Amino acid sequence: MPALRVTVLFPSALLGAALLLAGCGGTSSPPPGGSSTPAPPTIATGAPPGGTSTPPVPVDPLVADPPDGTTALPTSQVDSSGLPPGFPTLAWTRGPRTVGVYGRAGGCTQATAQLVDQTPTAVTVRVVQTTTSTGPCTRELRYPPLEVTLAADLGQRRVVLTGEMH
């Protein structure tokens, strides 16, 4: 049986619009009123048809894991009430005499940690965010790990975190 051949003739304006829509992946018809502006291209999101998928939740840097080779302190041993809002509250140890915390730094800021006090019951660590320039600054935010060395083993002493911004 011979193949059936169909030829469709389009006026040149419609042919151009059809080719433009086909090239952009658009499938919508012009809106009422005769505008031939094509629909914007569809961007694949990875969601199934109907959009029922939820995007992955990014890791919250304020609820982080300690660096490799360290052990997170239990939250019951850490008092972070003296930290400014937005500062990470996780504390860890690297051996018996090193306490670590995350600082908060960025384009025109740096972070440091200072050992403020050591008593038989508590160790106080101050996390400082210092502005290093008036700008222009990039807007990235980093959480560098910072560590201080104690004079004696931490043991069961409480770790008190304070913080300030300059």
Side-chain angles (χ1 to χ4, degrees):
M1 179 180 248
L4 181 62
R5 185 177 204 172
V6 176
T7 304
V8 179
L9 299 175
F10 287 103
S12 62
L14 286 177
L15 179 59
L19 290 175
L20 183 61
L21 284 173
C24 292
T27 59
S28 63
S29 303
S35 173
S36 61
T37 304
T42 303
I43 299 172
T45 62
T52 58
S53 175
T54 56
V57 177
V59 175
D60 183 351
L62 300 179
V63 185
D65 290 326
D68 290 341
T70 65
T71 303
L73 287 171
T75 56
S76 60
Q77 191 175 354
V78 179
D79 175 1
S80 60
S81 62
L83 288 174
F87 276 53
T89 59
L90 178 73
W92 64 81
T93 58
R94 181 185 306 276
R97 292 189 180 194
T98 302
V99 173
V101 296
Y102 284 111
R104 190 174 79 168
C108 288
T109 59
Q110 68 179 10
T112 58
Q114 304 163 349
L115 184 58
V116 176
D117 194 21
Q118 301 180 67
T119 70
T121 58
V123 171
T124 302
V125 177
R126 178 181 297 125
V127 182
V128 179
Q129 178 180 325
T130 306
T131 300
T132 57
S133 173
T134 57
C137 302
T138 57
R139 296 184 57 100
E140 85 270 4
L141 192 56
R142 296 176 287 111
Y143 296 93
L146 308 168
E147 294 182 338
V148 296
T149 303
L150 307 176
D153 292 358
L154 176 64
Q156 296 303 310
R157 290 188 286 174
R158 189 163 184 76
V159 175
V160 179
L161 301 178
T162 65
E164 55 190 64
M165 296 182 282
H166 302 282

